[in-house]
Amino acid sequence: MREWIFLQTAALIVGFIIDCFVGDPYCIPHPVIGIGKWISFFDKKLRRGNSNPKDISRGAVTVVLVALISTVVPALVLLLTWVIHPIAYFVVSSIMCWQILAARQLLKEGQKVQRALEKGDTEGARYAVSMIVGRDTEVLDEDGIARAAVETVAENASDGVIAPLCWMILFGAVGGFFYKSINTMDSMLGYKNEKYLYFGRAAAKTDDFVNYIPARISGLLMVITAPIVGLDSRNAWKIFCRDRYKHASPNSAQTESACAGALGLRLAGDAIYGGVVHKKEYIGDPVKEIEPKDITRAGRLMYAASVLMLIIGVILRSVVILCL
């Protein structure tokens, strides 16, 4: 048992390091693509149509089946590698942990937006940000583009990095795959539109549940690590306490508020999705005007908070090993 937990912890560290320096190479198939195909399969097979209340139960079945497949398959693979040799288990587990995390990719996509803005290429920046946000980007000016990119980095610091880290600290790579399946279902099905209002409800509620504690941990870690990357921890705490529930989701504004406070920016506000204006409260105060470099600053804050989460996790796992 001690060897298994030790190798699992080592794999988490190695996977995190690989993600930080390599990210997600486009030439390597990503497991999320496979999860997405299962979601699409059950969507086509089980969803009856638009605005059908009977789709609530069918959506719940989809959540159970996709989560089960996404968890059991990697668990069986890891069990097989453990039987073959512990080193094989370590290698495969490291690769799985690496693929679950998205810190490098998130910063990389954000910096594409930043570079385009710094070159004065508004259309290029608009296209780059459209790859990482769901809102209509053709109406955004340069400040709006930069703000959308910062918001995405801040929100996905939890969804793409710290939350999966929390689940992997508890349950290893298998926990990461379970979390990723829920998060991917929410991103594909969890819309309050005519098509998914009922079918996607279970996915959205389950995502709220599995992210509830990690999102709050993520916000607190951003507050704590803000001074490490030269940002304002005091203001981060102030805005986190004040604005962390100013979002339709109970979780999304947790990191967004901490990041807004740390950077001294006002984020959020009304946004257009599919040509429809969605009213949203502002998060943060306009202590300063936003600039392209704030995208990288948000990325550094994300990295600092993620490293602290990893350190805390390794310490907790080390205590468990010593107690066995």
Side-chain angles (χ1 to χ4, degrees), residues 168-187:
M168 288 192 288
I169 287 167
L170 292 174
F171 304 108
V174 172
F177 272 90
F178 167 77
Y179 170 80
K180 207 67 179 177
S181 70
I182 301 299
N183 193 241
T184 306
M185 279 188 278
D186 179 55
S187 66

Side-chain angles (χ1 to χ4, degrees), residues 126 129-140 143-152 155 247 256 267-276 278 280:
R126 197 172 279 130
V129 82
S130 73
M131 296 293 101
I132 56 175
V133 302
R135 72 191 67 181
D136 297 351
T137 57
E138 63 272 11
V139 299
L140 298 177
D143 285 355
I145 292 168
R147 191 173 293 107
V150 170
E151 290 169 13
T152 297
E155 183 176 346
H247 199 285
E256 203 170 321
L267 302 176
D270 297 350
I272 301 175
Y273 295 85
V276 179
H278 289 249
K280 295 183 178 182

Side-chain angles (χ1 to χ4, degrees), residues 85-116:
H85 197 280
I87 297 302
Y89 171 86
F90 166 71
V91 171
V92 173
S93 187
S94 297
I95 293 171
M96 286 182 174
C97 290
W98 161 38
Q99 291 190 306
I100 289 299
L101 299 170
R104 176 65 178 172
Q105 199 64 23
L106 181 58
L107 180 58
K108 181 179 175 182
E109 295 300 322
Q111 287 180 328
K112 287 180 183 178
V113 180
Q114 178 179 328
R115 285 193 294 269

Side-chain angles (χ1 to χ4, degrees), residues 9 12-13 16 20 101 103 157-170 211 213-225 228 255 300-318:
T9 306
L12 178 57
I13 297 170
F16 182 87
C20 284
L101 299 170
S158 177
D159 288 0
V161 190
I162 300 174
L165 264 178
C166 288
W167 281 89
M168 288 192 288
I169 287 167
L170 292 174
N211 271 305
I213 294 175
R216 284 147 185 78
I217 291 173
S218 300
L220 288 171
L221 291 176
M222 282 187 159
V223 172
I224 293 168
T225 56
I228 298 173
T255 47
R300 288 174 182 161
L301 182 59
M302 170 196 67
Y303 265 108
S306 302
V307 170
L308 181 55
M309 183 72 255
L310 179 66
I311 291 171
I312 292 171
V314 170
I315 291 172
L316 292 174
R317 280 180 155 265
S318 299

